[in-house]
Amino acid sequence: MNDILGFGPEKEELKAIDQHVGDRLHFVSEVREFMRERGDMEAEFARKLEALSKKYSTRLDKLSKERGRRSVSAQTGPSWTVDDAVANVLSPGDAEKTVSSERQKTDTTTEAWHAILKETERMAKCHDMLAELLCRTLPDGLKALVHRKDDARKKVGLAFLFSHIIESVFISLVTVPCIF
């Protein structure tokens, strides 16, 4: 009798499909949860990187100001200079090369440190953008996808239920003795 309307083995296939879709929806929900947790970690890491960069940038600024003050006081202080001290040990040409070389090392090192701090700030911004993507943008899209798929699954389930009801009614009509 189940095959009268063509609903025999198809019922089992629909149940299997429904189960598969349900499993996939659960999987997508797990992915959403993972993304949120990872996004929270990325946001925390971004905050820590930014704080670290600011901490050392402040120290670098203080150091630069102190060096500026020392350089001003050295210019207004005693009449001797580093050049004079080095000149006592080296020939005049070598003294100039040594002093300018020391200034370049300090400037290069400071510039390299400044670049590292700027890169750390940039990385903090990148991690913050990734956190935004993982916490909000992607999960919201996946949530909408899950709702659409779940609605479609429910519609198929309702269609299956209605077809089962129609089949039952039809079977009842066929088995009821005809009074005409």
Side-chain angles (χ1 to χ4, degrees):
M1 276 288 181
N2 285 343
D3 291 335
I4 292 175
L5 291 178
F7 293 107
E10 291 86 3
K11 288 180 187 178
E12 295 304 317
E13 291 172 2
L14 285 174
K15 287 179 186 177
I17 290 171
D18 185 57
Q19 180 65 40
H20 176 73
V21 171
D23 291 346
R24 295 294 90 201
L25 292 177
H26 178 72
F27 172 74
V28 172
S29 295
E30 288 288 317
V31 171
R32 279 183 60 224
E33 184 63 28
F34 169 82
M35 286 182 177
R36 284 206 175 127
E37 288 182 31
R38 168 84 189 271
D40 291 342
M41 289 178 184
E42 290 290 343
E44 181 181 348
F45 186 57
R47 286 190 300 273
K48 287 181 176 183
L49 278 178
E50 187 175 5
L52 180 69
S53 178
K54 284 182 181 180
K55 174 183 171 181
Y56 283 94
S57 290
T58 303
R59 289 182 180 181
L60 180 62
D61 291 342
K62 284 182 182 178
L63 183 62
S64 295
K65 286 178 185 176
E66 287 175 14
R67 283 183 185 160
R69 276 187 257 143
R70 276 192 232 144
S71 131
V72 168
S73 66
Q75 292 171 359
T76 59
S79 61
W80 67 273
T81 63
V82 174
D83 292 335
D84 294 336
V86 174
N88 289 335
V89 178
L90 303 172
S91 65
D94 292 336
E96 288 176 17
K97 290 178 188 174
T98 303
V99 170
S100 67
S101 174
E102 285 301 316
R103 286 184 186 146
Q104 284 177 347
K105 284 181 187 175
T106 304
D107 291 342
T108 303
T109 304
T110 303
E111 288 301 314
W113 182 235
H114 183 70
I116 289 169
L117 294 175
K118 286 295 181 189
E119 180 63 18
T120 304
E121 282 179 35
R122 189 191 68 75
M123 288 174 60
K125 289 177 185 174
C126 288
H127 283 280
D128 193 44
M129 289 188 312
L130 179 59
E132 176 73 25
L133 183 70
L134 290 172
C135 283
R136 291 173 191 83
T137 308
L138 291 176
D140 290 347
L142 288 176
K143 183 178 181 180
L145 174 71
V146 166
H147 284 296
R148 284 194 316 266
K149 297 296 181 184
D150 197 37
D151 287 345
R153 183 178 76 136
K154 288 175 184 175
K155 287 177 184 176
V156 169
L158 286 175
F160 176 72
L161 178 65
F162 287 136
S163 68
H164 185 24
I165 291 170
I166 291 170
E167 180 182 12
S168 297
V169 169
F170 183 74
I171 290 172
S172 298
L173 288 174
V174 171
T175 57
V176 172
C178 187
I179 54 174
F180 298 111

